[in-house]
Amino acid sequence: MASKSAGCQYCVAHTAESAHNANVEDQKIAAVGQYETSHFFTEAERAALRFTQRAAAVPNAVTDEDFSALRKHYSDEEIVELMV
């Protein structure tokens, strides 16, 4: 989602390839653009993808609500990892 937000098609392609190599289902990779509504994603994944997409936006579009959603599923350490 960070690559998609930045508009880097090269990065999007290589991230998809990495996901495929990590045994993520091809259908799930193809559905990442519709993560908010796709049944392939859990609420935790949706929160992480939403955060990632907004954090990569210029200017940063992350809200307090985004952090609240993340904290339902992830520790502070895990949230920091999402930002790296």
Side-chain angles (χ1 to χ4, degrees), residues 2 5 13 20 24 27 35 37 51 63 66 71 76:
S5 287
H20 177 77
V24 176
Q27 293 171 314
Y35 70 89
T37 58
F51 172 82
T63 65
D66 294 326
R71 287 190 177 104
D76 287 344

Side-chain angles (χ1 to χ4, degrees), residues 1-44:
M1 291 313 301
S3 299
K4 186 173 175 138
S5 287
C8 180
Q9 295 304 313
Y10 176 85
C11 298
V12 169
H14 287 278
T15 303
E17 181 181 354
S18 294
H20 177 77
N21 291 338
N23 296 319
V24 176
E25 296 176 33
D26 290 339
Q27 293 171 314
K28 187 172 186 174
I29 295 168
V32 74
Q34 294 81 37
Y35 70 89
E36 289 284 10
T37 58
S38 174
H39 69 277
F40 290 110
F41 299 92
T42 66
E43 286 303 315

